[in-house]
Amino acid sequence: PASYSHFSRPVVEAWGFAKPVVVAATPHMNRLITQGMNGILVPPGDHEAIAKAIETLLDDGRLRKTMGLAGKQKVAEEFQAAKNTQILIECCDRLLECTQERNGA
């Protein structure tokens, strides 16, 4: 797992296929992942914790399935292209309106 904070597209893609994830507990991942529900957070750079998390998932098929399905649900709720595009358009419209108001238009 990446040890620096960034948006992790591979996590969202894995969830889209109902796969569980193991990620480094960076600020962004701490907000994205619910520990034990839709993934496993491990300390950044802790290779033993990564291995243990992977072993846990390999040994527990029910946990893998539960976490994967929880991730898939999160994708369905929060990562819809059409919905997020509409949010961006609305944000841009508001910014344009503010700019026009400042310029007296």
Side-chain angles (χ1 to χ4, degrees):
S3 58
Y4 55 92
S5 194
H6 65 93
F7 179 77
S8 185
R9 184 177 178 100
V11 168
V12 175
E13 290 174 350
W15 282 344
F17 288 98
K19 302 297 179 189
V21 296
V22 176
V23 300
T26 62
H28 178 75
M29 289 297 122
N30 286 333
R31 289 188 301 275
L32 184 64
I33 304 290
T34 302
Q35 176 72 314
M37 180 181 284
N38 56 22
I40 299 175
L41 294 157
V42 297
D46 187 338
H47 304 288
E48 289 180 20
I50 294 168
K52 183 177 179 187
I54 292 170
E55 286 177 0
T56 296
L57 291 172
L58 288 172
D59 291 341
D60 191 339
R62 196 163 101 195
L63 179 63
R64 282 194 313 269
K65 185 171 184 169
T66 301
M67 281 188 182
L69 290 174
K72 187 172 181 124
Q73 181 66 33
K74 186 170 180 108
V75 167
E77 292 171 0
E78 297 182 23
F79 296 99
Q80 298 174 12
K83 176 182 170 185
N84 291 334
T85 299
Q86 187 59 40
I87 290 169
L88 286 171
I89 289 170
E90 291 169 5
C91 182
C92 290
D93 286 345
R94 286 192 304 274
L95 288 171
L96 182 60
E97 287 173 12
C98 289
T99 302
Q100 290 172 341
E101 288 174 7
R102 282 189 206 160
N103 293 332

